[in-house]
Amino acid sequence: MSKNLKICFLLILMNHAGTASGQKSDKDLPPLLQKAAEEVIAGKYLHAFLDILHFQGTNVWTTDMPKKIMAYFHAQNVIFTISSLQMSIKNYLENLLYQPKQLLSDFQQINHQQFQTAVKYLFRSKKNHFELGNIVIDLDGIRERIFQSPGGNRTLFLVTLEKCFPALSSMECVDILSQVLRVSSVSYLQPDVIRSLPKDLPQDTFRNLSAVFKDLYDKTTANAQRTLYDWMKQILQKSCITNELNDSSSWVSAENLWILGRYMVHLPLEEIMKISLNEMRLFISYDNATKQLDTVYDITPELAQAFLERINSSGFDLRNTSTIYRLGLLVCFYDNMEQMDAIVAQVLLHQMMKCNQLRGFQADVYKLKAQLLDIAMQNQTLNDTLGSLSDAVVGLTSSQLDSLSPEAVHNAISTLNQVSGWAKSQIMILSSKYLTYEKVLSFYNISQMGSLVTGISTPSFYNMNPKELSQVIRGTLSQYASDLSPAQQQGILTKMLASRELSSAVTDIQGAFFKEVCLSDLWKETGFNSSIVKEKELRKSQALFLYELLSKKTTAPADLLRFFEKNLQLLSPYQVNCLAWKFWKTSNTSIPPFLLSVLPAQYLESISGTSCVPFLISLGKTELDLMILDSHKKNTVLQKVQECLNGSISDEYDVDILGNLICHLPPAIIRDGISLRAMAVALHQFRFCRRLSHEQKTEIKYRFTELYGTPKNWTAQTTQDIGPFVALLSKDELTVLAEKFPNTILQIAKMAWSASPPEEFLSAIFEPIRNSINSIRTSDPTTDCTGITAPSSDEIIKLAEANAFWSVQELQCLDTDTFTKNVEFLGTVMSFNRSQLIVLKEKAKQVWGALPGWKSYHIVSLGRIALALSGREIEALDLSSVDTVAALSQQTEWTLVQAKSILQGFLQHSGQTVYGLKSFDLAGLGANLCALNTTDIKTIKATEFSAVIARVGLLPCSTPVLEEFKKVAESVFGIAAGWNSSIIHEIGTIAAGLNEREFTALDKDVMPYFQPAAIRHIPDEVFKVLSPEQIANLGPENAAMVTESQRNLLNALQLQSLQLALDGARTSVQDTQTNASTIQSTHTPASNCAHFSSGFSIWLCALYILCPTS
């Protein structure tokens, strides 16, 4: 691809060219080609290239054209040698690809005709190649290279914006802008760029461009959205007859509302109230009004109710069914509840199924649905109305659902299967009711259940007809596989594998289910061919085994690699290191720049000058934290990055080049090295960084306050764009924002962190958010709650993780109804301390009665609240169901005493012994298996253990337990000394249970295949017996997992080997190393990867590189 781009122009000029002295080329050469030749002489290669393309498009390209061009050069006393011209063109094109500012500058200098030619071949041509005689130019390659180069899209957008409208028709420009925007992250669509958009566009052009911006709404920042609204508003206001407007009339017509679409949420409240009733009536009458109103996901209650008021005043009856259907997301804020009948309530509930798409205000929606639910059920039973309540049924309590008849659930299944947002306990109840009515579990029954399928019990799956089960896992279950518990997945898999020939069963097992097939089962089948891995997800150990097996059966590695394309997440730092050395051994001039970073530090010394930008771009496309785990090595790489940057980032193009590397900039550069112009773009990139240090965050806070000013003056859009960085503000600053923009802050709290938001942030927003909620609070009348305000349902839903700041006394005063409705939600709060959990547990006992009477759905609904149960309390629960135990096992904070109680409770209530446990029982017990004593472990059946050995290998059990699990593993895979790489990886932490003799007997080549968690679990006294060669072969990832206490017992030679592993050195290839200063980093794929199609990256090659170690 890149080679074509580098030499295509050279081929045009010199193909068939020879010496041409004595020819009168200035007469023979057509004027446009003469101009192109003059541009070559002047070094304007882009201009010349575009002129030649234009010439070919309107003339016949003959084979003597290159000779005439070369003759022209000679006549002008300009003597080019092939090598000098080739080098000039190559350097120029490299600068264009790696210096987007140069690309922008050159594009800005081209004339209208050249711009039209560029547009024709970049955007409008459907050809993937271009022919000049027998010369073929790879147009697809050129397009892809420009589009993928950092800043390439930014340049094309800016040039199009500047040159397109004067050079081409407006409609063509809109189409080109649309193409550029759609293939990018549109991060360059900043407010200052938007403000430069033309404001005198023809009406049709403006409409089409507005439609493009409506489609890209969610990709743009909040400030960009607001600026786009302002741009649209200016043009729409101009189209109004100015003298007809006065203080009481509005520029917002029905047509303008249609053009604004999603951007109507930026209309001021007073502007909405001024909209002409005739225009509002006309807008709602449009057939596509609903389509427009269905997309206003970020509308506020105030604006929605203003629209509803104008619609109502315009003559539309908001109680009329046909009107309700036209309201789109405005129904989520419907407030005319007086004297409403049940039919209207049911229609509204049906329309409100779309309200989960709103950005925020879900507590308000929940409250409205509850009110409508009461109206819809007036004078009727729940059994009679269940099918007409839409997704408001999610608001029904467990006891209400438990009161339903199986027939009612069966009759309403077509509604229930469309509902999202179910709690696990609700799913369990409804699934049980439905299957009680159906009697037999079949493919048809399951296909009717939607998400409720995840509530089917493990024994029910296990007892299902195998033929029907194989249909189910290819159908409904494939969609919800990730929502099934380990016990359910294992129950399904066990039945599938036990009921038919292994090869046939494995063929039918698709997607995520295949990951659960154990290695020992794959061993039994030797007849596999490459088709086995089509449409399947693999574990690393499966990939290692299958690659070794299948590579013996095919002589076409490229074909084999295609089947593994979906498993790139299996790539480890060790394999990246393998790939780097493979490149180095094959040809050190072809190594991709980013791979130099995983080789020993001296290999970075070759990077300087012109090789810096390619290095930064290449490295910026990777995840440095996943590739280099050793902090010392990472610092060395980052020092080279700083050298290449010269300590500064001047503009948005530098930010583009950095890519992910921006997350690793030192605090000093963030503070003083990023220009204010670049900071606006950099701040957007910083939001995606997952591991910023405290020092980095401190400097980011300094810079965004420099950019946006004091927080008290921020707009809602700025607050939204700052996102998670609002947590860096002081408590006083956060309080101001939470009071001004409570919903924006709540959305940040909900969306910005994968785990719990910082405690300081939650603490600062708790009171302002709580005070912004107007709700009726009731307290438990059975306790002394005088003067204590208990949480309301509204507050609990809105506060989310900030619920952790309710006092123990406030939680204790929860009334029964509020607790029952919100127990599942409260069980998800990660920040509750033990005292709070105990209070909520006691509240559960008060509401549900004695522990032995609790049903499975009660236990499941507790979530983290269950962690407050004592060992005795756990043993009093009915834990006979493996699904109940599997739900408890999802909690990771059990003490050993609690885990033993769960284990004993399950054995006692199910009437089983450890010997009788099936594989799905073991899967359901999860981490509670660590509570087994060594005597019981000996009785586990090897066949059942082998089926879940990969899951057991994820558990952080004690050394004695791991040692016993290792013995069971030997009964499956043979003696430990003979274990290969796929077995070592399959058993995970169990491998840490090997003794000193077994470790010393291990082949050094299996060392990098230990799972990182297993390294940490190896006892210090055992780890120290590893040979220097074994330690050197750990690989970078495993070497980084070595603990301080393990390291302290190593001798000097072992420590040296550990450092070699951390640094990515290969002792077996040290003799191939030369002075690092001779390394030349290039941008051409390695020869052994070149035969793969363009859809395959070098990461794919890396998955199957076998590292030589001797």
Side-chain angles (χ1 to χ4, degrees):
M1 178 178 70
S2 59
K3 286 181 180 178
N4 284 327
L5 184 56
K6 292 176 185 176
I7 67 173
C8 61
F9 185 55
L10 178 66
L11 290 173
I12 293 170
L13 293 181
M14 292 183 290
N15 194 46
H16 306 302
T19 57
S21 56
Q23 296 186 28
K24 304 212 175 188
S25 60
D26 56 340
K27 294 182 180 179
D28 295 339
L29 200 62
L32 190 58
L33 289 186
Q34 182 176 329
K35 176 173 176 284
E38 290 169 352
E39 287 165 333
V40 169
I41 295 171
K44 296 180 177 181
Y45 300 118
L46 177 63
H47 298 64
F49 182 46
L50 292 172
D51 282 339
I52 291 174
L53 286 178
H54 179 61
F55 176 84
Q56 193 276 345
T58 54
N59 299 271
V60 177
W61 182 269
T62 59
T63 56
D64 64 342
M65 290 296 183
K67 292 181 180 179
K68 293 181 178 180
I69 294 173
M70 295 303 289
Y72 181 84
F73 288 151
H74 185 84
Q76 300 300 314
N77 294 318
V78 177
I79 306 300
F80 279 119
T81 65
I82 290 180
S83 59
S84 66
L85 186 57
Q86 179 181 14
M87 185 57 64
S88 297
I89 295 171
K90 177 182 176 182
N91 290 340
Y92 171 76
L93 290 172
E94 281 297 317
N95 279 334
L96 286 191
L97 292 170
Y98 291 106
Q99 301 290 343
K101 283 181 282 191
Q102 182 65 45
L103 180 64
L104 175 63
S105 174
D106 284 9
F107 261 120
Q108 286 174 329
Q109 294 173 36
I110 62 178
N111 61 34
H112 285 350
Q113 182 59 65
Q114 291 166 332
F115 179 75
Q116 287 179 319
T117 303
V119 165
K120 175 181 177 181
Y121 290 105
L122 276 175
F123 300 107
R124 296 208 304 256
S125 175
K126 294 183 179 179
K127 294 181 179 180
N128 55 16
H129 66 278
F130 182 73
E131 297 181 6
L132 292 175
N134 63 340
I135 303 169
V136 178
I137 301 174
D138 181 8
L139 288 176
D140 273 350
I142 294 173
R143 289 188 197 105
E144 186 176 354
R145 191 68 188 272
I146 292 176
F147 284 140
Q148 290 185 354
S149 66
N153 280 321
R154 186 188 298 277
T155 290
L156 290 175
F157 176 74
L158 295 176
V159 168
T160 302
L161 205 57
E162 177 182 328
K163 288 188 166 291
C164 188
F165 290 102
L168 303 173
S169 76
S170 298
M171 294 302 289
E172 286 179 296
C173 290
V174 171
D175 182 57
I176 294 165
L177 284 171
S178 174
Q179 289 187 57
V180 177
L181 287 166
R182 292 180 195 281
V183 296
S184 70
S185 66
V186 301
S187 62
Y188 50 81
L189 199 57
Q190 295 294 314
D192 59 330
V193 174
I194 296 167
R195 283 188 281 268
S196 68
L197 289 171
K199 299 178 180 63
D200 54 354
L201 295 171
Q203 189 176 30
D204 287 345
T205 303
F206 168 67
R207 286 185 176 211
N208 283 283
L209 189 54
S210 297
V212 172
F213 291 139
K214 283 191 283 188
D215 290 342
L216 297 170
Y217 188 95
D218 289 322
K219 289 187 175 182
T220 53
T221 65
N223 272 312
Q225 291 166 3
R226 177 70 196 192
T227 311
L228 281 167
Y229 161 78
D230 290 336
W231 171 76
M232 295 166 74
K233 173 186 170 183
Q234 288 180 53
I235 296 176
L236 291 172
Q237 282 181 319
K238 275 186 182 180
S239 67
C240 295
I241 301 174
T242 307
N243 58 13
E244 288 187 3
L245 290 179
N246 54 54
D247 290 342
S248 62
S249 60
S250 173
W251 59 270
V252 183
S253 64
E255 186 178 19
N256 290 352
L257 278 174
W258 180 84
I259 292 172
L260 284 172
R262 293 188 64 178
Y263 290 90
M264 71 174 73
V265 301
H266 295 281
L267 285 166
L269 188 63
E270 57 273 16
E271 194 68 58
I272 296 171
M273 298 309 295
K274 285 163 51 178
I275 297 174
S276 160
L277 296 181
N278 287 334
E279 295 295 335
M280 184 59 77
R281 186 185 309 112
L282 185 59
F283 173 68
I284 295 298
S285 299
Y286 284 163
D287 288 338
N288 67 353
T290 303
K291 181 181 178 182
Q292 299 287 336
L293 293 172
D294 273 345
T295 64
V296 289
Y297 307 120
D298 47 352
I299 196 166
T300 64
E302 295 76 20
L303 293 183
Q305 284 160 10
F307 273 114
L308 287 171
E309 183 179 331
R310 294 306 280 172
I311 293 168
N312 187 53
S313 299
S314 71
F316 280 93
D317 180 5
L318 295 184
R319 297 287 181 91
N320 184 285
T321 300
S322 63
T323 303
I324 292 173
Y325 284 139
R326 290 177 174 272
L327 296 178
L329 290 175
L330 299 183
V331 299
C332 306
F333 305 99
Y334 195 95
D335 61 351
N336 187 9
M337 311 291 286
E338 293 181 10
Q339 298 180 339
M340 182 182 290
D341 63 39
I343 298 300
V344 174
Q346 290 171 9
V347 172
L348 281 167
L349 285 173
H350 178 74
Q351 289 299 101
M352 289 183 72
M353 289 186 74
K354 63 185 75 170
C355 294
N356 59 4
Q357 300 176 71
L358 282 176
R359 308 285 161 77
F361 307 108
Q362 290 303 318
D364 300 312
V365 172
Y366 181 86
K367 184 177 180 180
L368 177 56
K369 284 182 178 179
Q371 293 172 329
L372 292 171
L373 189 63
D374 290 339
I375 297 171
M377 291 173 56
Q378 282 177 355
N379 303 319
Q380 300 181 77
T381 66
L382 184 56
N383 281 327
D384 294 333
T385 58
L386 184 64
S388 61
L389 301 180
S390 300
D391 67 350
V393 291
V394 170
L396 297 172
T397 64
S398 296
S399 58
Q400 286 176 303
L401 293 178
D402 200 24
S403 70
L404 289 167
S405 69
E407 183 180 8
V409 175
H410 172 267
N411 293 339
I413 197 65
S414 61
T415 296
L416 301 176
N417 64 15
Q418 298 178 50
V419 174
S420 60
W422 292 114
K424 181 65 176 176
S425 60
Q426 293 175 312
I427 289 175
M428 291 173 66
I429 296 169
L430 291 171
S431 296
S432 176
K433 297 279 184 183
Y434 177 71
L435 296 176
T436 297
Y437 182 87
E438 295 293 346
K439 302 292 193 295
V440 178
L441 192 60
S442 66
F443 167 70
Y444 174 78
N445 293 339
I446 289 180
S447 67
Q448 301 300 303
M449 296 179 70
S451 63
L452 297 180
V453 73
T454 60
I456 298 174
S457 71
T458 298
S460 295
F461 278 128
Y462 184 71
N463 293 323
M464 194 174 170
N465 178 285
K467 185 176 180 181
E468 302 240 24
L469 189 57
S470 66
Q471 290 178 291
V472 166
I473 67 169
R474 291 196 300 269
T476 305
L477 277 180
S478 64
Q479 183 180 350
Y480 299 103
S482 61
D483 296 322
L484 296 173
S485 72
Q488 289 170 311
Q489 291 179 353
Q490 191 59 44
I492 292 167
L493 200 63
T494 301
K495 188 57 172 278
M496 288 284 295
L497 295 176
S499 61
R500 53 207 294 199
E501 288 186 5
L502 183 64
S503 59
S504 173
V506 166
T507 301
D508 281 344
I509 297 171
Q510 300 295 318
F513 283 104
F514 191 82
K515 290 176 71 174
E516 302 303 316
V517 178
C518 65
L519 195 61
S520 58
D521 277 337
L522 294 181
W523 273 21
K524 298 171 187 174
E525 179 56 53
T526 57
F528 290 140
N529 57 40
S530 57
S531 64
I532 187 181
V533 289
K534 286 182 178 178
E535 303 300 323
K536 291 176 170 61
E537 295 179 27
L538 305 179
R539 293 195 312 276
K540 178 73 171 290
S541 55
Q542 292 172 322
L544 289 168
F545 167 72
L546 288 172
Y547 177 75
E548 183 178 353
L549 174 68
L550 298 178
S551 61
K552 298 173 183 176
K553 299 187 175 188
T554 177
T555 56
D559 293 338
L560 184 62
L561 289 174
R562 288 188 184 95
F563 300 128
F564 286 85
E565 184 178 8
K566 293 184 179 180
N567 297 284
L568 299 184
Q569 74 281 1
L570 302 174
L571 199 64
S572 70
Y574 172 71
Q575 289 168 311
V576 178
N577 183 251
C578 288
L579 181 62
W581 281 114
K582 196 77 171 181
F583 269 106
W584 173 254
K585 286 187 68 179
T586 303
S587 172
N588 60 21
T589 62
S590 66
I591 186 168
F594 81 92
L595 287 179
L596 291 172
S597 67
V598 302
L599 295 177
Q602 63 267 30
Y603 288 79
L604 292 172
E605 294 174 9
S606 65
I607 299 170
S608 62
T610 57
S611 63
C612 261
V613 172
F615 172 69
L616 293 176
I617 291 173
S618 180
L619 195 59
K621 292 179 180 178
T622 67
E623 289 287 346
L624 195 63
D625 284 332
L626 300 180
M627 224 169 41
I628 304 174
L629 300 178
D630 178 47
S631 58
H632 176 74
K633 175 69 178 293
K634 191 180 298 181
N635 286 337
T636 302
V637 173
L638 293 176
Q639 285 174 5
K640 176 57 68 174
V641 169
Q642 291 178 60
E643 287 178 26
C644 284
L645 288 172
N646 291 322
S648 67
I649 299 165
S650 61
D651 56 27
E652 60 272 27
Y653 284 103
D654 288 344
V655 177
D656 292 337
I657 287 171
L658 276 175
N660 295 332
L661 284 174
I662 199 166
C663 301
H664 303 280
L665 292 177
I669 287 187
I670 296 174
R671 184 180 182 93
D672 301 317
I674 305 179
S675 72
L676 207 57
R677 174 183 172 183
M679 193 61 204
V681 181
L683 182 62
H684 180 74
Q685 294 300 106
F686 278 129
R687 289 181 58 175
F688 300 102
C689 300
R690 290 176 290 182
R691 299 180 183 176
L692 292 170
S693 68
H694 173 73
E695 292 76 18
Q696 285 175 306
K697 290 177 180 178
T698 299
E699 300 306 337
I700 290 171
K701 177 192 174 183
Y702 170 79
R703 295 309 306 275
F704 71 61
T705 51
E706 180 185 19
L707 188 64
Y708 295 117
T710 177
K712 69 180 181 181
N713 295 329
W714 288 357
T715 63
Q717 288 78 30
T718 297
T719 305
Q720 191 175 332
D721 286 343
I722 294 292
F725 293 129
V726 296
L728 304 179
L729 300 173
S730 68
K731 185 170 183 176
D732 289 343
E733 291 169 326
L734 265 174
T735 300
V736 169
L737 290 177
E739 289 173 347
K740 283 177 66 179
F741 313 117
N743 186 66
T744 301
I745 293 296
L746 285 172
Q747 281 300 101
I748 291 171
K750 181 180 179 182
M751 305 296 295
W753 291 277
S754 55
S756 176
E759 183 177 341
E760 299 79 7
F761 172 77
L762 295 175
S763 173
I765 70 171
F766 177 74
E767 283 299 333
I769 298 298
R770 183 184 177 188
N771 293 336
S772 71
I773 301 170
N774 296 318
S775 59
I776 300 172
R777 301 179 177 91
T778 57
S779 298
D780 186 348
T782 64
T783 56
D784 184 14
C785 293
T786 305
I788 296 176
T789 304
S792 67
S793 289
D794 281 3
E795 290 169 324
I796 290 171
I797 295 170
K798 282 194 175 182
L799 285 168
E801 197 63 29
N803 279 295
F805 289 91
W806 294 109
S807 69
V808 168
Q809 291 76 18
E810 288 168 325
L811 292 174
Q812 195 170 24
C813 289
L814 276 168
D815 74 292
T816 298
D817 188 53
T818 303
F819 176 81
T820 303
K821 287 181 178 179
N822 297 285
V823 58
E824 201 117 16
F825 191 88
L826 291 169
T828 65
V829 177
M830 298 301 296
S831 304
F832 276 143
N833 59 38
R834 181 157 180 79
S835 297
Q836 291 168 312
L837 293 174
I838 289 174
V839 166
L840 292 171
K841 175 203 69 174
E842 292 300 324
K843 179 62 67 175
K845 290 164 69 175
Q846 176 189 331
V847 174
W848 295 333
L851 294 170
W854 286 11
K855 296 184 179 180
S856 289
Y857 65 78
H858 287 135
I859 300 170
V860 169
S861 67
L862 286 174
R864 285 191 72 247
I865 299 171
L867 294 170
L869 292 165
S870 67
R872 277 190 183 176
E873 287 173 325
I874 291 171
E875 291 173 10
L877 297 171
D878 179 1
L879 297 181
S880 58
S881 165
V882 68
D883 297 294
T884 306
V885 172
L888 291 176
S889 297
Q890 291 179 359
Q891 304 302 326
T892 59
E893 303 164 72
W894 297 112
T895 66
L896 184 58
V897 171
Q898 289 173 312
K900 284 181 178 178
S901 295
I902 293 172
L903 179 63
Q904 291 305 314
F906 175 63
L907 294 174
Q908 179 181 342
H909 288 94
S910 65
Q912 297 194 74
T913 62
V914 173
Y915 174 76
L917 293 177
K918 296 197 178 306
S919 60
F920 54 78
D921 294 321
L922 295 171
L925 282 164
N928 299 302
L929 290 173
C930 293
L932 284 167
N933 61 49
T934 54
T935 303
D936 282 336
I937 293 174
K938 289 181 173 70
T939 69
I940 297 176
K941 292 178 182 175
T943 52
E944 304 296 334
F945 186 78
S946 66
V948 293
I949 198 168
R951 285 195 178 277
V952 178
L954 299 174
L955 304 180
C957 300
S958 66
T959 298
V961 170
L962 292 177
E963 289 172 349
E964 288 303 320
F965 281 152
K966 183 265 300 183
K967 294 174 184 176
V968 184
E970 284 188 306
S971 66
V972 177
F973 295 120
I975 61 171
W979 288 350
N980 61 22
S981 58
S982 58
I983 297 173
I984 287 291
H985 201 277
E986 172 88 346
I987 64 176
T989 56
I990 297 173
L994 272 65
N995 59 36
E996 297 178 13
R997 177 181 52 79
E998 291 163 337
F999 264 112
T1000 54
L1002 282 179
D1003 191 305
K1004 68 180 185 305
D1005 289 349
V1006 306
M1007 299 308 293
Y1009 297 99
F1010 274 83
Q1011 290 191 27
I1015 300 298
R1016 285 186 172 276
H1017 278 83
I1018 300 173
D1020 301 346
E1021 293 293 332
V1022 175
F1023 189 82
K1024 73 176 184 180
V1025 307
L1026 293 177
S1027 69
E1029 195 166 19
Q1030 284 177 313
I1031 293 174
N1033 279 275
L1034 281 172
E1037 186 176 21
N1038 284 341
M1041 293 299 109
V1042 175
T1043 66
E1044 192 64 30
S1045 59
Q1046 289 171 332
R1047 184 191 295 262
N1048 288 339
L1049 297 183
L1050 300 181
N1051 60 38
L1053 190 56
Q1054 288 172 311
L1055 288 172
Q1056 184 180 358
S1057 296
L1058 181 61
Q1059 189 56 50
L1060 287 172
L1062 286 167
D1063 207 26
R1066 285 272 174 268
T1067 53
S1068 58
V1069 292
Q1070 294 303 306
D1071 56 330
T1072 69
Q1073 296 181 23
T1074 59
N1075 191 312
S1077 63
T1078 65
I1079 303 171
Q1080 298 295 317
S1081 62
T1082 69
H1083 328 299
T1084 306
S1087 57
N1088 62 332
C1089 288
H1091 61 279
F1092 299 134
S1093 68
S1094 61
F1096 293 91
S1097 67
I1098 54 177
W1099 295 98
L1100 185 59
C1101 305
L1103 183 56
Y1104 307 103
I1105 295 295
L1106 301 178
C1107 293
T1109 54
S1110 60

